[in-house]
């Protein structure tokens, strides 16, 4: 590949180049949204070193793809502005009930009291090792101390202690939330 020479070549971009950069950015953004929807929020959760590595690699590939064949300052500004507009638009869409359901993953119950829900664990691609690690990080030394563990829409694991009754409202929208034993629910 021949790289351009001179300051104007590194700083500038044509109108066609700007339009193609914006279009490419929109396409990559939509592909990333679709991938996240299909594979779930765990993709960005960083639960393991491998997850973190994959996120970094995705970022590098996506960034390079959006900027085009020859990176320029103007192309970077076009990508930045396009991503900002997409982010604002997506925020407006997710502020509606329908948009939230369409774009965000539903929280999933992984433990109901001391019982591990194997099917749900598999559905969010989480291992026993990762689950036990999250329990230890939250100061849980025995599964009997657990009221619930929930994989949130963000991919993070919320550990709710059996020592503190759960307000029923906190479980709205959680897949299988009704499986938490009644003794852990307040009201």
């Amino acid at each position: 590949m021949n790289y351009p020479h001179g300051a104007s070549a590194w700083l500038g971009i044509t109108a066609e180049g700007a339009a193609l950069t914006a279009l490419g950015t929109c396409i990559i953004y939509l592909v990333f949204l679709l991938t996240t929807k299909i594979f779930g929020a765990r993709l960005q959760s960083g639960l393991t070193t491998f997850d973190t590595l994959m996120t970094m690699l995705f970022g590098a590939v996506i960034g390079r793809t959006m900027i085009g064949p020859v990176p320029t300052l103007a192309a970077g500004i076009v990508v930045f502005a396009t991503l900002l507009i997409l982010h604002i638009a997506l925020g407006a869409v997710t502020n509606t009930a329908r948009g939230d359901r369409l774009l965000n993953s539903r929280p999933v119950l992984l433990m109901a009291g001391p019982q591990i829900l194997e099917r749900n664990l598999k559905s969010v691609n989480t291992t026993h090792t990762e689950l036990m690690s999250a329990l230890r990080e939250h100061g849980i030394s025995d599964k009997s101390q657990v009221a619930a563990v929930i994989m949130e829409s963000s991919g993070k694991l919320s550990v709710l202690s059996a020592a503190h009754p759960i307000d029923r409202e906190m479980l709205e929208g959680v897949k299988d939330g009704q499986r938490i034993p009644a003794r852990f629910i307040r009201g």
Side-chain angles (χ1 to χ4, degrees):
M1 174 181 276
N2 293 329
Y3 288 97
H5 298 285
S8 62
W10 287 102
L11 298 176
I13 192 169
T14 64
E16 180 184 26
L20 290 172
T21 299
L23 177 63
T25 299
C26 290
I27 291 169
I28 290 293
Y29 191 83
L30 292 173
V31 167
F32 189 72
L33 280 178
L34 183 63
T35 303
T36 301
K37 187 67 179 169
I38 292 169
F39 293 104
R42 185 175 190 290
L43 195 61
Q44 296 105 243
S45 68
L47 287 177
T48 67
T49 304
F50 181 71
D51 295 332
T52 303
L53 175 64
M54 289 306 297
T55 300
M56 289 170 37
L57 290 172
F58 288 147
V61 169
I62 289 169
R64 184 65 183 104
T65 302
M66 283 191 258
I67 212 80
V70 179
T72 66
L73 178 61
I77 291 170
V78 169
V79 168
F80 178 78
T82 304
L83 287 173
L84 187 60
I85 291 166
L86 288 170
H87 183 70
I88 291 168
L90 198 65
V93 170
T94 57
N95 280 333
T96 66
R98 189 174 185 180
D100 184 47
R101 280 191 311 276
L102 177 68
L103 295 171
N104 290 322
S105 300
R106 187 173 169 197
V108 177
L109 185 68
L110 301 182
M111 284 183 73
Q115 178 190 5
I116 297 173
L117 305 179
E118 298 293 340
R119 178 178 285 161
N120 289 357
L121 203 63
K122 282 185 180 180
S123 76
V124 295
N125 299 311
T126 301
T127 66
H128 279 264
T129 303
E130 292 161 342
L131 179 62
M132 293 302 125
S133 175
L135 294 178
R136 290 188 300 271
E137 288 173 5
H138 285 84
I140 301 293
S141 59
D142 187 270
K143 289 191 295 186
S144 66
Q145 298 172 324
V146 175
V149 176
I150 300 168
M151 170 73 79
E152 301 292 352
S153 298
S154 64
K156 303 256 188 254
L157 294 179
S158 292
V159 179
L160 304 176
S161 169
H164 305 287
I166 304 168
D167 186 331
R168 192 173 304 282
E169 184 180 9
M170 298 296 293
L171 300 174
E172 284 182 21
V174 175
K175 180 184 174 193
D176 289 333
Q178 78 283 359
R179 294 184 63 184
I180 298 172
R183 68 182 181 274
F184 299 123
I185 307 296
R186 179 178 48 208

